[in-house]
Structure formats: structure tokens, C-alpha cells
């Protein structure tokens, strides 16, 4: 059975959108925070054909996960860490509060 909604669905604070036979997927807002909660036995997967972007409500980029490519992490909308085929690239200062170790078996 399919339902078509041409406008919006208004759910008040603490009301939940419940999906699945056992309400395994829940989407809700508690008045202060918003949640996407997977309470089932499987994984929560977010899939995209291209890049998957996590953004602040203002459009500011938080992270980009590129299909078959780099993962980019941002601070205040400025890319700071990018994974590469050989490791990572860091833009800006790198602060290490612990030991720095190297794999002696790598070339």
C-alpha cells in the first residue's frame, strides 16, 4: 500500500515517525534535539550514488564522503582532513598529544 502526500506532515515535539513492523526506525525531535534512531538488529545505512554530504542546517559542510574516493572532514566549513589513496592530508596545524609511531615494515 502506498500513500501520497502532496504537502507536509506535522509531527509535534516528542512525536515519532515509526517505521518497520517493530518500529525499528524512529525519526523524532524532543524539543531540543533531533534524532534518527535505528533500534533494530541490523545496520543503519545511508547510501548515495555519488558523494554523501553532511551539512549544518545553514548549508555549511561538516563532512563529505566521496564514492570510491576521499573522505573530507571540515572545521567551520574549511576542509582540514582528507583521506587519500596513500593516507591522509592535513590542512593547518597537527597537534599530537601522544606518541607518534611509524610502521617500520612500510616502504
Amino acid at each position: 500500500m502506498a500513500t501520497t502526500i502532496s504537502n507536509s506532515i506535522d509531527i509535534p515535539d516528542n512525536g515519532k515517525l515509526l517505521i518497520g513492523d517493530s518500529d525499528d526506525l524512529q525519526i523524532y525531535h524532543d524539543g531540543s534535539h533531533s534524532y534518527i534512531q535505528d533500534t533494530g538488529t541490523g545496520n543503519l545505512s545511508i547510501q548515495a550514488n555519488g558523494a554523501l554530504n553532511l551539512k549544518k542546517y545553514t548549508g555549511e559542510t561538516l563532512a563529505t564522503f566521496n564514492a570510491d574516493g576521499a573522505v573530507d572532514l571540515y572545521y567551520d566549513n574549511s576542509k582540514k582532513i582528507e583521506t587519500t589513496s596513500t593516507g591522509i592530508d592535513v590542512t593547518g596545524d597537527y597537534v599530537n598529544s601522544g606518541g607518534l609511531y611509524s610502521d617500520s615494515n612500510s616502504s
Side-chain angles (χ1 to χ4, degrees):
M1 179 175 83
T3 302
T4 301
I5 300 170
S6 58
N7 290 316
S8 61
I9 299 174
D10 292 324
I11 300 174
D13 289 346
N14 297 306
K16 294 182 177 183
L17 176 60
L18 305 173
I19 302 169
D21 290 340
S22 300
D23 300 335
D24 297 338
L25 179 61
Q26 302 178 10
I27 302 173
Y28 61 98
H29 180 76
D30 68 5
S32 298
H33 305 285
S34 299
Y35 301 88
I36 299 174
Q37 187 173 25
D38 176 16
T39 62
T41 57
N43 297 325
L44 175 63
S45 298
I46 301 173
Q47 299 176 341
N49 190 36
L52 174 63
N53 298 300
L54 295 180
K55 294 188 175 215
K56 186 177 172 181
Y57 73 96
T58 59
E60 182 176 313
T61 300
L62 304 172
T64 301
F65 303 86
N66 296 291
D68 303 319
V71 172
D72 304 326
L73 301 178
Y74 292 76
Y75 178 85
D76 198 17
N77 209 35
S78 177
K79 183 166 52 170
K80 297 298 179 182
I81 298 176
E82 176 182 5
T83 62
T84 68
S85 61
T86 58
I88 63 169
D89 287 340
V90 177
T91 301
D93 294 335
Y94 166 75
V95 177
N96 179 12
S97 61
L100 182 60
Y101 303 96
S102 175
D103 182 358
S104 61
N105 294 326
S106 65
S107 49

